[in-house]
Amino acid sequence: MKLGFIGIGLMGRPMVLRLLAAGYEVCVWNRTREKLAPVVEKGARPMDSPAALARACEIVMMCVTDQHAAEAVLFGPAGVAEGASPGTLVVDFSSIAPQAAREFARRLAEQGVGLVDAPVSGGVPGAEKGTLVVMAGGAPEHIERARPVVMHLAQRFTRMGDCGAGQTTKLCNQVIVGSLLPVIAEAVRLAEAAGVDATRLPEALAGGFADSLPLQIFGARMAARRFEPPLGAAAIMLKDLENAAALARERGVSLPMARTAAELYRLLEAQGRSGEDPAVLVELLAGRSAR
Amino acid sequence: MKLGFIGIGLMGRPMVLRLLAAGYEVCVWNRTREKLAPVVEKGARPMDSPAALARACEIVMMCVTDQHAAEAVLFGPAGVAEGASPGTLVVDFSSIAPQAAREFARRLAEQGVGLVDAPVSGGVPGAEKGTLVVMAGGAPEHIERARPVVMHLAQRFTRMGDCGAGQTTKLCNQVIVGSLLPVIAEAVRLAEAAGVDATRLPEALAGGFADSLPLQIFGARMAARRFEPPLGAAAIMLKDLENAAALARERGVSLPMARTAAELYRLLEAQGRSGEDPAVLVELLAGRSAR
């Protein structure tokens, strides 16, 4: 089966490499064409446009930065909608607003094209190891059609409801992850300032109530002030928390923690650091006796 | 070897039951004598006072609610200090301020008694399964002497430095756990309000960046509005976060997330609910379409 993949960024690249390693024929497209090199080198076939890619593939996967990029890829000039035929299935790993996912699904359905919103959690390490957690929304038959492919990328692919439910679940996920990262930064700074070796925190707390993948991965990077190569971007966290805040406002939910976290990412943005790894949060927090 | 254990509460009871099951002779004392019944039934020997217990045991363990209780048990009338001899080792699982741990250690050292501050993470489920994470401060030889006993209760027993370092590490742990619980409550309320089945969140997010023991244990209780039997108390979280805030103030560290969390526990306290399981946080957060 021929697969398409649009968006060869931090996440898309390792995902495509895994699909190639699993033996799939993968057509790829990226707005910045130079970013295709590492996957084309491994056998992916570069396409001239999302439309050309959709014409060639039964399942079109995509993982792009935001709603604006997703809309351009799907419905812009030479977009997926232009090349897709009835029966084409689009699996969108991007994180966008649930309302946008429902709207995109409605527009694609008009031409017989299915959409599964399938945002992921687990970051670059999860994409590399194929241990992502995928939260999906869409018709059960579309999700089952995508499952054999997605399970090369993920340890878990859960249907949470109709289109948009994957994105809603991802926002809940990001309320947790986006808030947890500054919390871990606070713990690291407190340890340092109080004279405890913060680089030993992830191991000392492993297996307890404070443990998590972000503690092991980002906590270790924070304690070592190691931000390269980036495993994500503060700007993405801010975007997700703003989408969560918009949904919460609409539904009357209070998010005191997630809103405080969003303010911290906004401070990073004001410092011109929102393109950096979210571990740079640790440098935002004051601490007299910290290094 | 004869062990002593003072404080047979939510945590102390399963810890003593594990030590008895491992074949140790365990002497016990508790301020409220009736709470001894479930461990005495399984073979623990009730003592008349902490002093009498210290006279009978080489290693005196304790797990009490707060600093005030710890001081009373150690240095009050008929306290541990009265009965202990040179060579007695006190292992304090209680969570108290690092400064208090150092002060207690200094006073006990005057009579040749060692102290290991050994606060734990993992809650009642961890105590029952013997999978606690123990963060310790004290002399290396004291920690190694305690290790064989503690490893019946814990999966991890890490020396983080001299006396007080265990408590400092526990405060870092609690900055994370105390902040994570309201964050999980926000995710649960957001899911409910947006029409996603929140009882499925823990499983759907398992293994991803949002996953943690608190998500699996407290997230599930929050989604089900199941608060009994309590696995902890909101008041304990508030106490730990206040100790963390005091240390942070002294060292000039900013804790925007942990301070926001503390305010939420303070709201629970104002509602007279601080004795309840911290999962009741979920009821604090507004959400129009939530049940």
Side-chain angles (χ1 to χ4, degrees), chain A residues 102 121-126 131 133-135 155-156 158-161 164-165 168-169 171-180 182-184 186-197 200-201 203-215 217-218 231 237 244 247-261 264 284-290, chain B residues 102 121-126 131 133-135 155-156 158-161 164-165 168-169 171-180 182-184 186-197 200-201 203-215 217-218 231 237 244 247-261 264 284-290:
Chain A
R102 282 189 288 268
S121 180
V124 173
T131 56
V133 166
V134 185
M135 297 145 268
Q155 61 175 299
R156 198 175 286 276
T158 311
R159 179 177 186 271
M160 296 302 284
T168 300
T169 307
L171 290 181
C172 298
N173 187 87
Q174 291 307 82
V175 160
I176 297 176
V177 178
S179 303
L180 183 53
V183 163
I184 293 169
E186 290 180 8
V188 165
R189 288 306 285 251
L190 185 62
E192 290 171 351
V196 160
D197 183 355
R200 296 182 59 214
L201 273 188
E203 198 201 330
L205 308 188
F209 273 3
D211 195 18
S212 63
L213 282 175
L215 175 70
I217 296 172
F218 292 96
L231 298 180
M237 287 292 158
L247 180 61
R249 196 177 309 116
E250 187 190 309
R251 305 290 175 140
V253 176
S254 57
L255 299 179
M257 301 294 292
R259 279 172 199 275
T260 304
L264 295 172
L284 198 64
L285 300 171
R288 264 200 296 278
S289 28
Chain B
R102 284 190 286 270
S121 179
V124 172
T131 57
V133 165
V134 185
M135 298 145 268
Q155 61 174 299
R156 199 175 286 276
T158 311
R159 179 177 186 271
M160 295 301 286
T168 300
T169 307
L171 291 182
C172 298
N173 187 87
Q174 292 305 83
V175 160
I176 297 176
V177 178
S179 303
L180 184 53
V183 163
I184 293 169
E186 291 180 7
V188 165
R189 287 308 285 251
L190 186 61
E192 291 173 351
V196 161
D197 183 355
R200 297 181 59 213
L201 273 188
E203 199 201 332
L205 307 188
F209 273 2
D211 195 18
S212 62
L213 282 175
L215 176 69
I217 296 172
F218 291 96
L231 297 180
M237 287 293 158
L247 180 62
R249 196 176 308 117
E250 187 190 310
R251 305 290 175 140
V253 176
S254 58
L255 298 180
M257 300 294 292
R259 279 172 200 275
T260 303
L264 295 172
L284 199 64
L285 300 172
R288 266 201 294 279
S289 28

Side-chain angles (χ1 to χ4, degrees), chain B residues 5-10 12-13 27-37 39 46-50 53 63-65 73:
Chain B
F5 205 109
I6 293 170
I8 311 300
L10 273 179
R13 183 176 46 201
C27 300
V28 291
W29 183 85
N30 196 69
R31 197 179 42 175
T32 315
R33 210 182 157 90
E34 300 81 66
K35 292 196 180 167
L36 293 180
V39 295
M47 306 299 283
D48 286 333
S49 68
L53 179 145
C63 191
V64 298
T65 310
V73 156

Side-chain angles (χ1 to χ4, degrees), chain B residues 62-271:
Chain B
M62 53 192 270
C63 191
V64 298
T65 310
D66 57 21
Q67 191 162 316
H68 182 77
E71 183 157 17
V73 156
L74 288 173
F75 304 108
V80 168
E82 234 177 87
S85 343
T88 304
L89 177 63
V90 177
V91 179
D92 185 8
F93 296 118
S94 320
S95 290
I96 63 176
Q99 188 48 50
R102 284 190 286 270
E103 170 69 12
F104 294 169
R106 192 191 55 70
R107 289 167 72 180
L108 290 170
E110 284 171 5
Q111 55 181 107
V113 174
L115 177 74
V116 171
D117 57 305
V120 307
S121 179
V124 172
E128 286 172 347
K129 287 182 243 155
T131 57
L132 292 170
V133 165
V134 185
M135 298 145 268
E141 64 272 23
H142 290 155
I143 286 174
E144 292 318 310
R145 198 173 143 208
R147 187 176 298 277
V149 178
V150 172
M151 288 314 285
H152 288 285
L153 310 173
Q155 61 174 299
R156 199 175 286 276
F157 180 42
T158 311
R159 179 177 186 271
M160 295 301 286
D162 295 331
C163 253
Q167 297 296 349
T168 300
T169 307
K170 173 68 190 267
L171 291 182
C172 298
N173 187 87
Q174 292 305 83
V175 160
I176 297 176
V177 178
S179 303
L180 184 53
L181 292 174
V183 163
I184 293 169
E186 291 180 7
V188 165
R189 287 308 285 251
L190 186 61
E192 291 173 351
V196 161
D197 183 355
T199 65
R200 297 181 59 213
L201 273 188
E203 199 201 332
L205 307 188
F209 273 2
D211 195 18
S212 62
L213 282 175
L215 176 69
Q216 295 300 325
I217 296 172
F218 291 96
R221 289 163 77 86
M222 288 173 186
R225 303 293 192 277
R226 190 177 65 240
F227 308 132
E228 296 290 339
L231 297 180
I236 302 283
M237 287 293 158
L238 180 54
K239 174 203 70 170
D240 289 345
L241 288 177
E242 283 176 340
N243 280 336
L247 180 62
R249 196 176 308 117
E250 187 190 310
R251 305 290 175 140
V253 176
S254 58
L255 298 180
M257 300 294 292
R259 279 172 200 275
T260 303
E263 292 304 319
L264 295 172
Y265 293 106
R266 235 184 295 280
L267 284 173
L268 281 182
E269 187 181 57
Q271 295 182 354

Side-chain angles (χ1 to χ4, degrees), chain A residues 215-232:
Chain A
L215 175 70
Q216 296 300 324
I217 296 172
F218 292 96
R221 288 164 77 88
M222 288 173 185
R225 302 292 191 278
R226 190 176 67 239
F227 308 132
E228 295 292 338
L231 298 180

Side-chain angles (χ1 to χ4, degrees), chain A residues 8-257:
Chain A
I8 312 300
L10 274 179
M11 296 293 290
R13 184 175 45 202
M15 290 166 90
V16 168
L17 292 175
R18 288 193 64 85
L19 293 172
L20 290 168
Y24 286 104
E25 201 177 328
V26 188
C27 300
V28 291
W29 183 85
N30 196 70
R31 197 179 41 174
T32 316
R33 209 182 157 89
E34 299 81 67
K35 291 197 180 166
L36 293 179
V39 297
V40 168
E41 214 166 80
K42 298 286 182 187
R45 183 173 148 211
M47 306 300 283
D48 285 334
S49 67
L53 180 143
R55 261 187 295 272
C57 303
E58 297 162 53
I59 296 187
V60 176
M61 289 172 284
M62 52 189 274
C63 190
V64 298
T65 310
D66 55 23
Q67 193 162 315
H68 183 75
E71 184 157 15
V73 156
L74 288 173
F75 304 107
V80 168
E82 234 177 87
S85 344
T88 304
L89 178 64
V90 177
V91 179
D92 184 8
F93 296 118
S94 320
S95 291
I96 62 176
Q99 187 49 49
R102 282 189 288 268
E103 169 70 11
F104 293 169
R106 192 189 55 71
R107 290 168 70 180
L108 290 171
E110 285 171 7
Q111 54 181 108
V113 173
L115 176 75
V116 171
D117 55 306
V120 308
S121 180
V124 173
E128 286 172 348
K129 285 182 242 153
T131 56
L132 292 170
V133 166
V134 185
M135 297 145 268
E141 64 273 23
H142 291 156
I143 287 175
E144 291 318 310
R145 196 172 143 208
R147 187 178 299 279
V149 179
V150 173
M151 291 313 285
H152 288 286
L153 310 172
Q155 61 175 299
R156 198 175 286 276
F157 181 42
T158 311
R159 179 177 186 271
M160 296 302 284
D162 294 331
C163 253
Q167 297 297 348
T168 300
T169 307
K170 174 67 190 270
L171 290 181
C172 298
N173 187 87
Q174 291 307 82
V175 160
I176 297 176
V177 178
S179 303
L180 183 53
L181 291 174
V183 163
I184 293 169
E186 290 180 8
V188 165
R189 288 306 285 251
L190 185 62
E192 290 171 351
V196 160
D197 183 355
T199 66
R200 296 182 59 214
L201 273 188
E203 198 201 330
L205 308 188
F209 273 3
D211 195 18
S212 63
L213 282 175
L215 175 70
Q216 296 300 324
I217 296 172
F218 292 96
R221 288 164 77 88
M222 288 173 185
R225 302 292 191 278
R226 190 176 67 239
F227 308 132
E228 295 292 338
L231 298 180
I236 302 283
M237 287 292 158
L238 179 55
K239 174 204 69 170
D240 289 346
L241 288 177
E242 282 176 341
N243 279 336
L247 180 61
R249 196 177 309 116
E250 187 190 309
R251 305 290 175 140
V253 176
S254 57
L255 299 179
M257 301 294 292

